Amino acid sequence: MSVEVVRDAQIREEYAIALHALKPILHNLPAVIVVIDGRVGSGKTTLGRFLAWRFNVTLIETDLFLHRNKGKFTYRNDQIAGIIDHRMDRDRPVIIEGMVALRLLKQVGREHDFHIHLICDDFEGSSNTEPEWEKYVADYRPNTKADLILNL
């Protein structure tokens, strides 16, 4: 694996690819929505935190908005929508990362401007999220429709 240097720090080649792809999208920090999706454990949060730090933009880690409701986990969509609205109202970008991020965006009535889909060849699986993941892939086809697909 080759390494790039960004701000005196070495980073993974895949992160450098994401930086290069997002530079024109986030130039001058317009009101855009960048989405990162992928299976559990694929590196979404790590990549999202790196990109948010590098571009100095807000990151919404959707797992932080999960709550248990009648034995089922759901997202606090109203809170996520509020953060997105706040950023868009101020003409600022936001990065949203989550396993089913495109579905979540649709539920809050928003469209993405750039989509990064993460795959992980070393993925060992998680039986409790697999049915939800398979439905998400069938509905949104992130593995073929993403603007950028990275194998972390």
Side-chain angles (χ1 to χ4, degrees), residues 3 15 21 33 38-39 41 50 68 70 96 104 113 144 147 151:
V3 177
Y15 287 22
I33 297 172
R39 287 184 164 179
F50 172 77
R68 190 175 201 123
K70 299 179 183 176
I96 302 165
L104 185 83
D113 297 286
T144 59
D147 298 297
N151 186 346

Side-chain angles (χ1 to χ4, degrees), residues 3-94:
V3 177
E4 292 278 331
V5 176
V6 175
R7 289 189 182 176
D8 300 324
Q10 291 185 344
I11 61 167
R12 294 176 64 159
E13 179 181 2
E14 297 86 353
Y15 287 22
I17 293 168
L19 281 173
H20 180 73
L22 285 174
K23 278 183 184 177
I25 305 298
L26 294 175
H27 180 71
N28 291 329
L29 301 175
V32 297
I33 297 172
V34 175
V35 170
I36 303 171
D37 67 4
R39 287 184 164 179
V40 170
S42 62
K44 300 176 299 295
T45 302
T46 305
L47 176 62
R49 287 177 181 174
F50 172 77
L51 294 173
W53 166 79
R54 175 60 180 85
F55 288 106
N56 193 26
V57 300
T58 298
L59 170 67
I60 298 175
E61 297 178 32
T62 60
D63 285 353
L64 300 176
F65 295 88
L66 275 173
H67 69 100
R68 190 175 201 123
N69 185 10
K70 299 179 183 176
K72 183 178 179 183
F73 284 99
T74 58
Y75 290 98
R76 293 183 178 102
N77 289 354
D78 56 334
Q79 293 175 354
I80 293 171
I83 295 169
I84 296 170
D85 291 346
H86 180 76
R87 301 310 292 165
M88 297 298 104
D89 289 347
R90 283 160 181 73
D91 291 328
R92 300 292 290 172
V94 64

Side-chain angles (χ1 to χ4, degrees), residues 97-142:
E97 68 81 17
M99 184 176 86
V100 293
L102 293 175
R103 182 175 70 200
L104 185 83
L105 267 183
K106 183 177 180 181
Q107 290 170 349
V108 300
R110 290 289 186 168
E111 297 277 333
H112 65 279
D113 297 286
F114 195 85
H115 175 200
I116 301 172
H117 177 66
L118 300 185
I119 56 175
C120 184
D121 286 341
D122 296 334
F123 180 74
E124 295 179 12
S126 174
S127 60
N128 59 342
T129 60
E130 202 60 27
E132 184 175 9
W133 174 251
E134 289 175 8
K135 177 155 179 35
Y136 177 75
V137 169
D139 291 347
Y140 292 92
R141 300 190 186 347

